[in-house]
């Protein structure tokens, strides 16, 4: 595992590694991705093994431009409109898969595929150099906080026999949150599958209509996902398999305070602030996601802060209340806290 700065030479090297079936970690504007050739079954198997990712949790495929995305999936008018408005960028679209070269493990046997055209110049250069679609989930071990710095990738895969051959280090990820995912199926209203770097109001402005939102996953949908081993009609499968697994969680418990709840912290706990809320008590460690209460800044800092605080010696991380409008940020923290649906906050 080599951490290198992206140059024409190292990007070419990364492209060669991918072509030979190896894994490569690369920066994107959302978080770091752990990439593999989406047309190579062995590479994809290695990717799932490296992350210890459940086989029922499908991957997002990264493509260099919109034209390629429209050849890979069948886009309806809505998908085309969203692609035009937000690509290259932090939007993932799920649509019926057309390209038979994509191996079935990528979609967890679903008839649909998640695709994104990333904007980061290094991701773009890598896609140009490699000539294959790159399947790339976040470059962390499954369940851990996402990797927003190259060092996070190195830390998570330090002991792994499937560690990426190369990590292209372009500094901290701009957004610090994963892409927003929208499902676009023919004759169905577009559905928001995952909150992310692009906000719901931004999407709704382009669509001119409210987006349907996916109901939170339950244990029942998890059971269905685990049993689903072969392709069946989209309608009878969970719409977004994988969302119900443990996600974004550091090694110590996380507690997100509700609006109005007392910000009391024990001496053994760490404090993760937002805006003007001050902790009551003397935490063992303290950081602020955004002193001015800016959700974008908080998202940018979130995963790195969780990773620092998990090794601070604290027994738990107490997070200041987050504004209701910061849907993606609240969803990530509440999943890290594993306290259930965001609506319950
Ligand atoms: P990540 O873990 O960031 O790579 O996100 C991948 C997520 O995208 C999965 O956990 C699913 O929720 C969603 N996803 C990927 N492919 C599909 C698909 N074909 N249908 C529905 N959701 C998908
Ligand atoms: Mg992830």
């Amino acid at each position: 595992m080599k951490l290198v700065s992206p140059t024409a030479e190292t990007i070419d090297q990364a492209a060669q590694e991918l072509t030979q079936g190896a894994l490569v970690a690369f920066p994107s504007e959302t978080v770091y991705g752990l990439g593999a050739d989406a047309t190579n079954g062995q590479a994809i198997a290695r990717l799932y093994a490296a992350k210890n990712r459940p086989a029922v949790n499908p991957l997002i495929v990264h493509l260099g431009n919109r034209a390629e995305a429209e050849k890979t999936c069948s886009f309806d008018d809505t998908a085309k409109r969203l692609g035009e408005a937000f690509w290259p960028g932090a939007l993932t679209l799920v649509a019926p898969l057309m390209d038979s070269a994509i191996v079935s493990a990528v979609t967890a046997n679903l008839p649909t595929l998640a695709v994104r055209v990333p904007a980061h110049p290094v991701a773009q250069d890598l896609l140009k150099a490699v000539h294959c679609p790159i399947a790339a989930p976040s470059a962390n071990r499954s369940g851990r906080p996402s990797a927003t710095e190259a060092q996070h990738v190195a830390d998570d895969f330090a002991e792994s026999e499937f560690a990426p051959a190369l990590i292209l280090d372009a500094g901290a990820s701009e957004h610090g949150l994963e892409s927003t995912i929208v499902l676009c199926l023919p004759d169905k209203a577009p559905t928001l599958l995952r909150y992310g770097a692009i906000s719901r109001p931004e999407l709704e402005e382009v669509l001119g209509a409210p987006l349907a939102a996916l109901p939170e996953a339950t244990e029942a949908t998890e059971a269905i996902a685990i049993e689903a081993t072969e392709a069946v009609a989209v309608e009878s499968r969970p719409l977004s398999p994988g969302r119900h697994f443990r996600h974004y969680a550091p090694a110590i418990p996380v507690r997100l305070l509700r609006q109005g709840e007392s910000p009391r912290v024990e001496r053994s706990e760490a404090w993760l602030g937002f805006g003007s809320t001050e902790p009551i008590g003397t935490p063992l460690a303290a950081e602020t996601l955004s002193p001015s209460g800016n959700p974008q800044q908080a998202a940018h800092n979130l995963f790195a802060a969780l990773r620092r605080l998990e090794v601070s010696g604290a027994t738990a991380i107490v997070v200041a209340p987050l504004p209701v409008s910061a849907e993606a940020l609240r969803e990530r923290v509440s999943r890290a806290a594993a306290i259930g649906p965001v609506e319950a906050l």
Side-chain angles (χ1 to χ4, degrees):
M1 188 163 52
K2 246 188 4 196
L3 216 138
V4 295
S5 35
T7 60
E9 203 183 356
T10 55
I11 289 172
D12 261 1
Q13 217 179 318
Q16 269 178 40
E17 293 284 1
L18 287 169
T19 308
Q20 287 161 14
L23 306 181
V24 166
F26 64 95
S28 90
E29 67 276 26
T30 57
V31 301
Y32 274 74
L34 184 62
D37 176 355
T39 65
N40 178 333
Q42 279 179 349
I44 296 302
R46 189 169 296 129
L47 179 55
Y48 276 96
K51 286 200 52 135
N52 193 24
R53 183 178 175 102
V56 293
N57 191 359
L59 305 171
I60 296 171
V61 165
H62 295 70
L63 296 164
N65 55 57
R66 215 154 22 94
E68 277 179 42
E70 292 188 15
K71 276 189 274 169
T72 308
C73 287
S74 153
F75 279 6
D76 62 7
D77 284 349
T78 308
K80 285 187 186 152
R81 201 134 46 92
L82 290 173
E84 271 165 34
F86 294 104
W87 281 345
L91 177 70
T92 293
L93 294 174
V94 176
L97 171 63
M98 292 202 298
D99 183 353
S100 58
I102 305 280
V103 301
S104 59
V106 166
T107 64
N109 282 315
L110 285 166
T112 52
L113 175 73
V115 283
R116 177 159 95 88
V117 177
H120 196 291
V122 174
Q124 277 286 332
D125 287 349
L126 183 60
L127 283 160
K128 283 194 190 101
V130 80
H131 304 299
C132 72
I134 304 179
S138 52
N140 50 272
R141 284 178 55 86
S142 205
R144 300 260 309 132
S146 303
T148 55
E149 294 172 17
Q151 190 58 46
H152 299 161
V153 187
D155 291 346
D156 267 22
F157 295 100
E159 312 281 309
S160 171
E161 60 177 305
F162 303 109
L166 270 185
I167 304 172
L168 295 170
D169 180 0
S173 310
E174 179 194 338
H175 293 307
L177 277 188
E178 292 77 0
S179 58
T180 304
I181 306 181
V182 176
L183 173 69
C184 294
L185 292 177
D187 308 321
K188 285 215 153 165
T191 303
L192 183 61
L193 295 185
R194 175 172 78 184
Y195 297 116
I198 293 172
S199 71
R200 181 207 292 262
E202 287 175 272
L203 291 163
E204 290 177 342
E205 196 182 319
V206 168
L207 293 173
L211 261 175
L214 178 72
E216 272 298 323
T218 63
E219 280 177 31
T221 55
E222 179 167 6
I224 297 166
I226 287 165
E227 279 165 22
T229 50
E230 45 190 70
V232 291
V234 172
E235 283 73 15
S236 62
R237 297 284 302 271
L239 278 179
S240 189
R243 297 300 299 141
H244 43 285
F245 293 115
R246 189 167 166 77
H247 256 88
Y248 319 120
I252 56 174
V254 173
R255 185 154 54 88
L256 173 57
L257 298 177
R258 291 156 207 263
Q259 297 290 346
E261 192 177 347
S262 163
R264 182 166 294 285
V265 279
E266 304 293 326
R267 291 185 84 87
S268 62
E269 291 177 326
W271 170 255
L272 190 49
F274 179 86
S276 56
T277 315
E278 291 292 337
I280 300 173
T282 313
L284 186 91
E287 294 210 21
T288 308
L289 287 172
S290 168
S292 63
N294 176 322
Q296 275 81 33
Q297 184 184 30
H300 173 82
N301 292 327
L302 175 67
F303 290 124
L306 290 177
R307 282 173 177 266
R308 282 191 298 271
L309 293 177
E310 80 176 335
V311 293
S312 66
T315 53
I317 302 169
V318 181
V319 186
L322 300 170
V324 172
S325 59
E327 288 178 310
L329 185 65
R330 279 163 57 92
E331 194 258 3
R332 297 308 189 271
V333 176
S334 56
R335 280 185 188 272
I339 55 168
V342 72
E343 284 77 8
L345 288 172

